[in-house]
Amino acid sequence: MQQRRDEPTNAAAGQPPVLVEAAGSYRLITLNRPDRLNAFTVDLHRALRAALDEAARDDACRAVILTGAGRGFCAGQDLVERLGDAQATPDLGATIEAFYNPLIAALRALPLPVIAAVNGVAAGAGANLALACDIVLAGRSAKFIQAFTKIGLVPDSGGTWLLPRLVGSARARGLALLAEPLPAEKAEAWGLVWKVVDDAALLDEARATALALAALPAEGLALTKQALALGESNGLEAQLEVERDLQRRAGRTADYREAVAAFVGKRPPAFRAKRPA
Ligand code: T3D
């Protein structure tokens, strides 16, 4: 039977909206609605949150890769899902509050580094989902689009907060207001992206990055992520105090002691395989 144009796909096709590969020390989470460029439905939101929560609970998991199935990373909100609301006036604030805001907050608070492997177009909330990750890798054909104003909306999922911090006010305003595609290499030059690689090499690069992170002391990474998050709103004086407090905690970890002993002993360190609870 042919899919009706106004039905969100995937659930109907029996495909899970998110695929999770537990690859030993890291997890690969793939948004899996390729026929809609992995646009967000409620099901996709729920599955992605569950996958992130499970990764956080798995103490063998030291990093997460987030990517998209097919030719896109994520096209933001599924507008077909919204079509169903056309008769009523939808309360988009409610869906932002219920789904998008908690997702971005959860990503930023995850005690694990998250790598976005942007394998194609990242539009609307999909673009800001990628930018909210800790390390953004992009395939050469990827592009980032703040698609919101094209449909009369406001950049969300942290876009209005992240963009000026990443690229400065002038570029943030251009991106947000004009909603033009920003190609991967320009995104890298502007500081939105850690690294651009050939499309065919993207997943290998993401896996290598995850393994490199997984080999580092996990608590140090979690505390570093926490320090950077607090630094985004603190003044210097307050942040110096944050660094003191977090360094105190880091200095008490077994991995720090092991790293120093290994360095002085001129041997490779043997860090703990599991993240501490
Ligand atoms: O609602 C709320 O809760 C508020 C929160 C909002 C958050 C947001 O993200 S708002 C922004 C929503 N997203 C968009 O406005 C982007 C819409 N998509 C596009 O502009 C284009 O598709 C792209 C620029 C992303 C890619 O263009 P292109 O030419 O590479 O691909 P395409 O042919 O347009 O898309 C391929 C298929 O995916 C196509 O389906 P078809 O014709 O093959 O059956 C297209 O309809 C579908 N698709 C792409 N984006 C979405 C989508 N279907 C539903 N929702 C989408 N967002």
Side-chain angles (χ1 to χ4, degrees):
M1 199 178 81
Q2 210 180 355
Q3 181 94 34
R4 271 180 40 195
R5 184 73 183 87
D6 58 351
E7 280 176 356
T9 55
N10 253 62
Q15 295 294 318
V18 156
L19 303 173
V20 180
E21 176 195 322
S25 59
Y26 66 90
R27 284 181 181 220
L28 171 66
I29 300 177
T30 304
L31 309 178
N32 188 38
R33 305 188 65 237
D35 49 345
R36 295 275 166 84
L37 300 176
N38 306 311
F40 273 109
T41 56
V42 166
D43 282 348
L44 174 53
H45 269 291
R46 292 198 170 120
L48 177 56
R49 279 302 305 280
L52 291 171
D53 291 348
E54 275 170 33
R57 277 196 300 272
D58 173 5
D59 61 10
C61 178
R62 312 282 293 263
V64 169
I65 302 170
L66 189 56
T67 194
R71 70 174 178 89
F73 176 74
C74 174
Q77 170 62 38
D78 187 311
L79 299 177
V80 178
E81 189 179 64
R82 284 288 164 271
L83 200 63
D85 301 335
Q87 285 86 348
T89 306
D91 179 357
L92 299 189
T95 73
I96 295 289
E97 193 169 344
F99 296 108
Y100 289 99
N101 287 357
L103 171 61
I104 299 301
L107 262 184
R108 303 290 277 191
L110 207 71
L112 299 169
V114 184
I115 301 157
V118 185
N119 55 305
V121 66
N128 295 333
L129 170 71
L131 299 180
C133 292
D134 298 301
I135 295 195
V136 187
L137 301 174
R140 216 166 290 286
S141 71
K143 53 189 173 179
F144 298 81
I145 314 176
Q146 296 293 320
F148 306 89
T149 57
K150 287 241 160 104
I151 56 168
L153 294 186
V154 175
D156 59 32
S157 305
T160 57
W161 185 89
L162 271 170
L163 285 171
R165 285 171 167 77
L166 289 170
V167 297
S169 176
R171 285 171 171 166
R173 282 164 192 271
L175 290 171
L177 295 170
L178 292 168
E180 287 173 0
L182 183 72
E185 284 175 358
K186 201 162 177 186
E188 184 187 37
W190 283 13
L192 282 162
V193 160
W194 171 243
K195 205 189 275 185
V196 174
V197 298
D198 289 341
D199 291 336
L202 179 65
L203 213 49
D204 284 347
E205 182 72 25
R207 289 182 189 278
T209 307
L211 286 173
L213 289 163
L216 294 172
E219 207 166 349
L221 289 179
L223 293 172
T224 298
K225 201 169 153 169
Q226 209 179 317
L228 289 167
L230 291 165
E232 276 154 352
S233 54
N234 274 340
L236 177 61
E237 214 170 308
Q239 189 62 14
L240 289 172
E241 291 178 8
V242 164
E243 290 177 0
R244 176 202 60 206
D245 294 344
L246 295 183
Q247 200 70 298
R248 179 171 291 136
R249 283 173 58 188
R252 288 176 178 151
T253 62
D255 281 342
Y256 168 68
R257 285 194 300 277
E258 166 62 10
V260 173
F263 178 80
V264 174
K266 299 192 186 304
R267 60 169 174 83
F271 295 128
R272 285 176 299 178
K274 297 199 181 287
R275 282 186 294 122

